[in-house]
């Protein structure tokens, strides 16, 4: 064999070319056999797995060995097959396949330190990375977070309270592994969102019905609602408001009688209240004020 060279390679193949010596043609060439194996390291060229081979017909001047492992250095040698038998192997060449995606996704995905807005996600990197780790990608519902610097844990922040999250992780070299098996977790009860302005309707001259809709972001199972009730005259702010608890979405409230107490403006604001385990109380912000205007005729 006059010469052997590497044409090119990918993450899972190496293509080898060869050229014959004139003496190799004696006995009529019947084919070529390419031997290959992964080596222990660049400093130890011994095969770390049994040597394999594949045969190509006599019309070929190059051949591709396939199903190789990415980011792995292989020894490659070629021999000539003739009617007289197999010739000596060429001097070995060494070539490293390109990087590829990790064989398996990260494992042992665990979620700890769960609060109403954060959680810690940890995992074990793939055993076979098939390249240089660039980063991990953490998927949680519609969000993606890139984790660099080789860290195998991260704390997710700004999460929604009392929300189910589907969490999984990918490991990425030049391309990414499959996602890990997902883990589902629910964040803890938190502060309810601000509710819309309540509506106010007179039942009679001294009583109104105040009603409202639940908060769009409940952050838990609402335990009850609080009403802030006040009165004011003209542009002066409400003085001496009082508070009323309601477990429903409406409440009947007594107001100064229009017929006997003159011009009155009654004001109403509402907020949701969540009670978490341990009797931790979370109150939302007050809604915008709803008003009932009464004019004595």
């Amino acid at each position: 064999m006059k010469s052997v060279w590497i044409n090119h390679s990918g993450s899972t193949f190496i293509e080898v070319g060869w050229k014959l010596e004139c003496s190799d043609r004696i006995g009529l060439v019947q084919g070529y056999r390419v031997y290959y194996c992964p080596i222990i390291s660049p400093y130890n060229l011994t095969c770390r797995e049994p040597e394999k081979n594949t045969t190509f017909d006599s019309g070929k001047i190059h051949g591709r060995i396939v199903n190789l492992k990415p980011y792995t250095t292989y020894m490659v040698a070629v021999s000539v097959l003739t009617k007289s038998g197999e010739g000596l192997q060429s001097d070995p060449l060494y070539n490293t396949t390109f990087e590829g995606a990790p064989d398996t996704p990260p494992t042992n995905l665990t979620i700890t330190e769960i609060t109403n807005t954060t959680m810690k996600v940890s995992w074990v990197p793939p055993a076979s990375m098939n390249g240089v780790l660039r980063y991990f990608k953490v998927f949680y519902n519609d969000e993606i977070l890139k984790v660099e610097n080789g860290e195998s844990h991260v704390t997710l922040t700004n999460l929604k309270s009392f929300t189910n999250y589907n969490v999984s992780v990918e490991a990425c070299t030049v391309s990414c592994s499959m996602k890990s098996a997902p883990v589902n977790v629910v964040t803890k009860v938190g502060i309810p969102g601000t509710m819309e302005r309540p509506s106010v309707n007179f039942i009679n001259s001294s009583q109104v019905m105040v009603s409202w809709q639940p908060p769009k972001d409940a952050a838990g199972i609402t335990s009850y609602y609080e009403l802030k009730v006040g009165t004011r005259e003209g542009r002066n702010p409400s003085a001496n408001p009082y508070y009323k608890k309601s477990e429903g979405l409406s409440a009947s409230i007594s107001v100064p009688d229009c017929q006997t107490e003159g011009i009155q403006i009654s004001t109403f604001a509402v907020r949701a209240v969540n009670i978490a385990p341990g009797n931790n109380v979370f109150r939302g912000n007050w809604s915008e004020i709803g008003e009932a205007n009464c004019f004595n005729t």
Side-chain angles (χ1 to χ4, degrees):
M1 184 72 68
K2 183 176 182 179
S3 58
V4 176
W5 61 89
I6 303 298
N7 279 340
H8 61 279
S9 60
S11 61
T12 59
F13 72 89
I14 297 174
E15 187 162 299
V16 188
W18 51 81
K19 187 175 182 180
L20 294 178
E21 294 277 10
C22 290
S23 59
D24 290 328
R25 303 179 187 277
I26 300 172
L28 298 177
V29 174
Q30 292 187 319
Y32 305 93
R33 184 163 291 151
V34 178
Y35 293 86
Y36 60 98
C37 68
I39 62 172
I40 293 175
S41 77
Y43 306 103
N44 185 346
L45 303 180
T46 306
C47 290
R48 60 181 169 85
E49 294 177 6
E51 189 177 73
K52 297 180 180 180
N53 66 80
T54 185
T55 301
F56 299 92
D57 64 43
S58 60
K60 297 288 187 179
I61 57 171
H62 57 81
R64 177 175 290 194
I65 47 180
V66 296
N67 299 321
L68 305 182
K69 185 172 177 57
Y71 205 56
T72 301
T73 301
Y74 282 85
M75 180 283 297
V76 180
V78 183
S79 66
V80 181
L81 305 177
T82 70
K83 288 184 178 181
S84 304
E86 182 174 354
L88 296 176
Q89 290 185 20
S90 65
D91 291 335
L93 298 176
Y94 299 92
N95 189 79
T96 301
T97 50
F98 291 178
E99 294 181 70
D103 287 337
T104 58
T107 57
N108 294 357
L109 180 63
T110 56
I111 313 293
T112 56
E113 302 176 20
I114 302 167
T115 72
N116 51 24
T117 58
T118 65
M119 66 176 73
K120 183 178 180 179
V121 184
S122 306
W123 59 89
V124 174
S128 180
M129 197 63 71
N130 288 345
V132 177
L133 174 66
R134 267 68 169 183
Y135 52 86
F136 295 98
K137 286 200 293 189
V138 180
F139 297 81
Y140 52 111
N141 292 2
D142 296 328
E143 303 292 331
I144 302 174
L145 178 65
K146 185 183 289 187
V147 181
E148 300 179 306
N149 301 321
E151 297 287 348
S152 56
H153 59 82
V154 69
T155 297
L156 304 180
T157 59
N158 298 319
L159 304 179
K160 292 184 177 181
S161 301
F162 204 62
T163 299
N164 181 73
Y165 281 91
N166 182 291
V167 184
S168 58
V169 182
E170 290 179 349
C172 302
T173 56
V174 290
S175 55
C176 296
S177 69
M178 296 179 63
K179 290 181 182 178
S180 64
V183 172
N184 288 287
V185 63
V186 178
T187 49
K188 293 185 177 181
V189 172
I191 299 172
T194 303
M195 298 170 61
E196 295 180 358
R197 185 199 312 268
S199 60
V200 185
N201 294 288
F202 274 95
I203 299 173
N204 54 47
S205 63
S206 61
Q207 195 171 34
V208 295
M209 180 64 71
V210 184
S211 57
W212 55 87
Q213 295 298 316
K216 292 180 180 179
D217 182 10
I221 299 174
T222 304
S223 300
Y224 57 88
Y225 298 94
E226 287 181 338
L227 272 172
K228 181 167 64 174
V229 183
T231 58
R232 67 179 177 86
E233 296 183 5
R235 297 182 179 276
N236 297 322
S238 300
N240 301 319
Y242 70 91
Y243 302 89
K244 181 178 177 66
K245 181 189 293 187
S246 173
E247 294 183 356
L249 295 175
S250 62
S252 176
I253 305 294
S254 295
V255 294
D257 194 312
C258 291
Q259 303 302 321
T260 60
E261 300 185 46
I263 298 175
Q264 296 288 336
I265 300 176
S266 298
T267 63
F268 306 92
V270 64
R271 67 182 176 186
V273 180
N274 292 338
I275 301 180
N279 206 35
N280 294 314
V281 179
F282 296 92
R283 288 181 166 87
N285 293 324
W286 289 110
S287 68
E288 292 184 10
I289 291 174
E291 294 184 345
N293 298 310
C294 178
F295 297 92
N296 189 335
T297 59

